[in-house]
């Protein structure tokens, strides 16, 4: 099957010098489905998906029947940013025949009693964690975002409103300095920008090269929309929106999630995220290596860092080596991750059990009626 490589690249399809997908598993999938072609998921609906195969396309496709089953794990269904292989049909919308393995997956735990994961975006190279360098500046929120968005992508902290922060007065933003030092120690890139100013936003160019996919996360008012519009520049109206015909032939402007930038990168626009709950798969140690290094020196291995003698954590807090707020957040996030991990393990056990049960029931039916 031949397809328009340049169009696909404009929405993030990454290839090597020979024009083949970088990922070996993707090459194999293409070979296994010679009639199929790649497309990228831009919207997820109950009955199917909207995909794109070029910057200015958006069309419905039929999903695999098993994805429609209510018990099918949500995170294994395609989500925004996923690459799928589709086959064109003569009479109906094209049909998805495969979901390509994700190179990265940014996820969070969904609210509710039942354990559920929610895909924020797939196949992302970089996550811009957007945070205002103003009264809203919150190191604890940055810590939470970093913990959650690491799923295979590079996090970059984008501090907006640098023009308001009073560059010559660091005390204007309490805790900013300490946080920046901490991030530098972790090797995480930080860029301060005026999100309204195209010249300032060029600081983000290293992550916006052709074929790159970026997703913006951050709390409300942080400047995500402002940054998106500046990155889009003059294209804003043309690419930020699509016009679709509805059943009566009227044109309606709909929101779109895959936004090609003139730099050749592709931006995934996520709906606002009020709350970021862990999935249980996060790596707390990776994000709080400094805290864990201190805790390793506590006299008792199971030190709760409360009233135990010889607690290195309390000593470090008293001496000012460890920020008590960072430590408190570490404890809180650890607990949340552990709680989610328990639920996840419970769900996995339940699934395994229902599979075993299902087999046993089938066997009994077979024995009794000689069929399944
Ligand atoms: N001066 C200045 N103002 C900014 C900057 N970034 C954002 N703002 C302003 O901050 C306000 C909020 O910015 P938005 O871009 O709407 O924030 P958002 O993150 O998209 O918020 P939600 O859509 O609610 O998630 C707007 O009034 C922007 O003009 C900046 O770098 N400098
Ligand atoms: Zn301790």
């Amino acid at each position: 099957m031949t397809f328009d490589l340049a169009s696909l690249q404009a929405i993030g399809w990454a290839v090597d010098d020979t024009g083949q997908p970088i990922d070996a598993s993707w090459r194999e999938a293409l070979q296994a489905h010679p009639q199929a072609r790649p497309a990228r998921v831009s919207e997820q609906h109950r009955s199917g998906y909207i995909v794109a195969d070029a910057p200015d396309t958006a069309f419905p496709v039929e999903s695999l029947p098993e994805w429609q089953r209510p018990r099918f794990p949500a995170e294994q269904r395609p989500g925004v940013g996923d690459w799928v292989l589709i086959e064109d049909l003569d009479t109906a919308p094209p049909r998805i025949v495969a979901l390509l393995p994700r190179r990265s997956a940014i996820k969070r735990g969904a609210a509710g009693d039942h354990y559920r994961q929610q895909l924020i975006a797939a196949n992302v190279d970089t996550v811009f964690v957007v945070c205002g360098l103003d009264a809203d500046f919150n190191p604890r929120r940055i810590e939470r975002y970093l913990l959650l968005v690491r799923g295979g992508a590079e996090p970059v902290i984008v501090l907006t409103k640098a023009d308001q922060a009073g560059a010559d007065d660091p005390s204007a933003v309490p805790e900013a300095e300490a946080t920046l030092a901490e991030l530098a120690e972790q090797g995480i890139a930080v860029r301060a920008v005026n999100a309204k100013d195209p010249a300032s936003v060029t600081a983000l160019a290293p992550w916006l090269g052709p074929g790159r996919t970026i997703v913006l996360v951050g709390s409300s008012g942080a400047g995500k929309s402002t940054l998106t519009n500046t990155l889009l520049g003059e294209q804003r109206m043309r690419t930020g929106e699509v016009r679709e015909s509805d059943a009566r032939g009227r044109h309606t402007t709909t929101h779109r999630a895959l936004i090609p930038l003139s730099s050749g990168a592709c931006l995934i626009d996520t709906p606002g995220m009020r709350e970021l709950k862990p999935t249980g798969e996060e790596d707390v140690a990776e994000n709080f290596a400094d805290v864990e290094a201190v805790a390793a020196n506590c006299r008792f291995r199971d030190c709760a860092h409360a009233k135990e003698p010889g607690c290195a954590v309390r000593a470090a807090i008293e001496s000012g080596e460890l920020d008590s707020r960072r430590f408190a957040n570490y404890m809180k996030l650890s607990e949340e991750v552990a709680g989610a991990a328990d639920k996840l393990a419970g769900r996995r056990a339940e699934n395994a059990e229902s599979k075993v049960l299902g087999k046993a029931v089938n066997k009994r039916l077979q024995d009794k009626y000689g069929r399944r």
Side-chain angles (χ1 to χ4, degrees), residues 27-339:
R27 293 195 294 268
E28 284 158 21
L30 278 173
Q31 276 159 13
H33 298 278
Q35 301 304 316
R37 61 196 177 94
R40 196 165 198 190
V41 174
S42 69
E43 279 172 57
Q44 198 180 356
H45 293 292
R46 209 158 287 152
S47 56
Y49 294 88
I50 306 290
V51 301
D53 62 0
D56 48 5
T57 63
F59 55 93
V61 293
E62 281 173 13
S63 75
L64 284 176
E66 64 234 50
W67 294 338
Q68 305 290 346
R69 287 205 317 260
R71 295 205 39 141
F72 192 86
E75 66 270 19
Q76 288 173 32
R77 291 186 189 124
V80 174
D82 263 320
W83 283 96
V84 293
L85 297 182
I86 58 172
E87 276 180 12
D88 292 302
L89 303 171
D90 288 337
T91 51
R95 173 181 63 195
I96 298 181
V97 294
L99 169 64
L100 298 183
R102 289 173 183 150
R103 290 167 43 223
S104 67
I106 315 301
K107 297 185 288 190
R108 66 167 169 173
D113 295 337
H114 291 284
Y115 179 88
R116 211 160 50 82
Q117 292 186 357
Q118 206 167 47
L119 182 76
I120 296 171
N123 299 312
V124 166
D125 297 289
T126 310
V127 181
F128 284 164
V129 177
V130 183
C131 187
L133 204 49
D134 55 5
D136 190 43
F137 184 80
N138 184 339
R140 308 290 86 80
R141 201 187 295 135
I142 293 181
E143 285 164 358
R144 175 178 291 269
Y145 274 111
L146 280 177
L147 178 67
L148 268 113
V149 304
R150 294 266 185 126
E154 181 195 1
V156 174
I157 310 293
V158 179
L159 300 173
T160 55
K161 310 185 191 184
D163 53 310
Q164 292 183 338
D168 42 7
D169 179 16
S171 64
V173 185
E175 285 197 76
E177 262 181 315
T179 305
L180 297 189
E182 176 55 48
L183 292 167
E185 200 161 300
Q186 290 185 53
I188 293 169
V190 182
R191 294 292 181 276
V193 300
N194 172 0
K196 293 175 168 177
D197 175 14
S200 169
V201 164
T202 57
L204 305 176
W207 295 279
L208 300 177
R212 294 312 203 97
T213 299
I214 304 103
V215 66
L216 266 55
V217 300
S219 53
S220 184
K224 298 181 297 295
S225 309
T226 308
L227 188 59
T228 301
N229 285 335
T230 305
L231 289 172
L232 278 170
E234 295 158 5
Q235 309 176 80
R236 178 188 320 197
M237 292 317 288
R238 196 164 55 82
T239 55
E241 295 166 344
V242 236
R243 287 164 69 78
E244 274 181 0
S245 298
D246 69 12
R248 277 158 294 186
R250 285 191 315 214
H251 283 289
T252 49
T253 307
T254 60
H255 172 83
R256 72 179 295 178
L258 287 177
I259 308 170
L261 303 179
S262 54
S263 67
C266 184
L267 192 75
I268 292 183
D269 193 14
T270 59
M273 280 176 288
R274 293 283 157 272
E275 193 195 7
L276 274 193
K277 267 177 47 168
T279 63
E281 294 175 336
E282 292 79 9
D283 188 346
V284 177
E286 179 194 22
N287 284 272
F288 290 91
D290 55 331
V291 179
E292 299 221 333
V294 171
N297 294 324
C298 291
R299 185 179 305 161
F300 300 110
R301 267 199 64 205
D302 61 348
C303 184
H305 321 303
K307 291 202 168 107
E308 290 87 344
C311 175
V313 167
R314 285 207 321 281
I317 289 174
E318 266 157 44
S319 75
E321 184 199 329
L322 179 62
D323 186 322
S324 63
R325 288 159 297 192
R326 178 166 167 80
F327 174 69
N329 204 32
Y330 159 80
M331 293 296 274
K332 182 168 190 279
L333 291 171
S334 301
E335 214 167 281
E336 283 183 39
V337 171

